Amino acid sequence: MKFKLIFLLFNGIIAVSFLFVFLMPLFFLGPDYARVFWLENWYLAAVFILIIGGLNTYFALNRQLFSLLEAEDWQGLRSYLEYRVFTKKRFSQQHLRILINTYIVLSEPDKIRSLEAELNTRQSRLVPRLALEFGIPRLLKNDPDEMIEYYDRYRNHPKAEQRDWLTWSYSFAVMQKQRSDEARDILLRLCENTREPLVRLFALYLLDAFRETDADLAERIDEYKAEFRRRYGSGKLQREIEKNRANLQVVVLARLVKNAEEWVMSDSNTTEDAGTVSGNGSSAT
């Protein structure tokens, strides 16, 4: 029902907007000038027909997908998307992301690895674009060696999306392996350079574990923390978290999000050790 309502509202808004533009010369300039305007700008009608036709075609082709999402029929959604991917060999990036999210909802992260293997065989160019999502099973397994190997492969890949998140994930694994200098350097660069508020928060939170061994670093952390609170206080951080709910990294690391949020908004300088932040796969969520 919601899908149909959105579909009708969308078409209604587009149609009303077009009619307003198309009929405005008639109301303000009169029929003679309006006729001239229409003759000179007939292509606007053609553009409108193409746009609304293309969008309606998109909705029609994905009607089953939207209906399954609306009904929250995760089993049906998984079957539908697996048929498209594994049987029909149709590799839409949007559908792949939805399928990965469905596997997480159904607590089937191992199937993400099967999907990754299929893409590596059929459409390897898409794997770097989905590197963050395909890293989720490694993050849940919490094997630092495997995480280091995986995230190091993609964190500087030119076609990888969300590379700051991939870099943070790499630093998280490196920190668990007690490679302190490397982890500290990466986290500092993220604090200084990333444009992602939550990546900056996570980097700052992990970096705070080094404050006891470096007085200069502790001072910089306090400055970064104060700046972060000024910029994202008064509910702005909560809005950033909500905005990133579609990011599986944020969903899987829900406990870390909570701990980091409480830490940065408080006067405390105490953080958990990196090795216990996620605990095991189940405790990270």
Side-chain angles (χ1 to χ4, degrees):
M1 185 64 185
K2 289 180 183 177
F3 167 70
K4 291 180 180 178
L5 180 61
I6 292 172
F7 179 77
L8 291 172
L9 285 174
F10 175 80
N11 277 277
I13 291 169
I14 294 293
V16 169
S17 300
F18 173 76
L19 288 174
F20 176 77
V21 173
F22 192 71
L23 297 176
M24 186 170 58
L26 180 63
F27 297 136
F28 290 97
L29 302 176
D32 293 334
Y33 286 103
R35 190 176 298 108
V36 174
F37 174 83
W38 292 335
L39 288 173
E40 291 181 353
N41 296 278
W42 61 268
Y43 61 88
L44 292 175
V47 170
F48 165 77
I49 292 170
L50 286 174
I51 291 174
I52 201 167
L55 290 172
N56 279 305
T57 300
Y58 171 79
F59 278 115
L61 291 175
N62 290 280
R63 181 178 179 179
Q64 186 175 355
L65 172 66
F66 295 141
S67 297
L68 290 167
L69 282 169
E70 181 183 341
E72 296 185 3
D73 181 358
W74 306 117
Q75 297 285 353
L77 183 61
R78 181 191 61 188
S79 298
Y80 169 75
L81 291 173
E82 284 182 340
Y83 175 74
R84 291 182 63 88
V85 171
F86 293 105
T87 304
K88 290 291 189 178
K89 308 300 179 187
R90 295 177 181 173
F91 302 100
S92 159
Q93 193 168 331
Q94 179 194 37
H95 289 173
L96 291 168
R97 280 204 166 94
I98 295 173
L99 180 55
I100 292 170
N101 277 272
T102 303
Y103 286 145
I104 294 298
V105 171
L106 294 173
S107 299
E108 297 175 333
D110 286 342
K111 290 196 172 185
I112 298 175
R113 293 179 183 266
S114 301
L115 181 60
E116 180 186 357
E118 179 73 11
L119 277 190
N120 270 317
T121 301
R122 302 282 182 176
Q123 288 284 346
S124 59
R125 64 182 179 80
L126 289 176
V127 176
R129 298 179 187 177
L130 296 166
L132 189 65
E133 287 85 351
F134 284 134
I136 294 300
R138 281 94 174 173
L139 198 62
L140 289 171
K141 187 179 178 183
N142 201 28
D143 180 339
D145 291 318
E146 185 181 15
M147 290 166 65
I148 287 170
E149 187 277 329
Y150 177 82
Y151 289 114
D152 193 36
R153 189 190 320 155
Y154 291 113
R155 65 191 179 107
N156 293 315
H157 196 292
K159 293 185 179 179
E161 298 180 2
Q162 298 178 296
R163 278 186 279 176
D164 284 351
W165 279 105
L166 293 167
T167 300
W168 179 87
S169 301
Y170 174 78
S171 71
F172 180 71
V174 165
M175 197 168 177
Q176 292 187 70
K177 290 294 289 184
Q178 306 300 315
R179 287 158 53 175
S180 301
D181 290 343
E182 183 181 2
R184 184 184 59 224
D185 291 345
I186 293 172
L187 292 168
L188 266 174
R189 285 198 297 272
L190 283 174
C191 286
E192 294 166 355
N193 299 322
T194 185
R195 295 183 179 180
E196 294 282 348
L198 293 190
V199 174
R200 180 178 285 112
L201 172 61
F202 284 8
L204 184 56
Y205 182 65
L206 292 189
L207 191 63
D208 195 63
F210 299 103
R211 79 162 43 246
E212 299 300 327
T213 60
D214 190 330
D216 291 336
L217 178 60
E219 186 176 340
R220 291 177 70 180
I221 291 169
D222 290 339
E223 291 174 359
Y224 288 143
K225 184 177 179 181
E227 179 190 358
F228 191 94
R229 289 168 67 174
R230 284 194 300 270
R231 184 176 296 184
Y232 297 104
S234 303
K236 288 185 180 179
L237 179 55
Q238 266 301 321
R239 289 194 288 274
E240 285 293 334
I241 293 171
E242 289 302 317
K243 195 166 68 176
N244 281 270
R245 287 301 181 191
N247 184 338
L248 280 181
Q249 194 92 346
V250 174
V251 174
V252 169
L253 294 174
R255 198 177 88 183
L256 178 59
V257 174
K258 183 176 182 295
N259 291 341
E261 180 187 6
E262 291 176 352
W263 170 80
V264 80
M265 292 302 171
S266 73
D267 293 325
S268 171
N269 289 322
T270 302
T271 62
E272 297 183 47
D273 179 75
T276 62
V277 167
S278 66
N280 51 47
S282 61
S283 66
T285 59

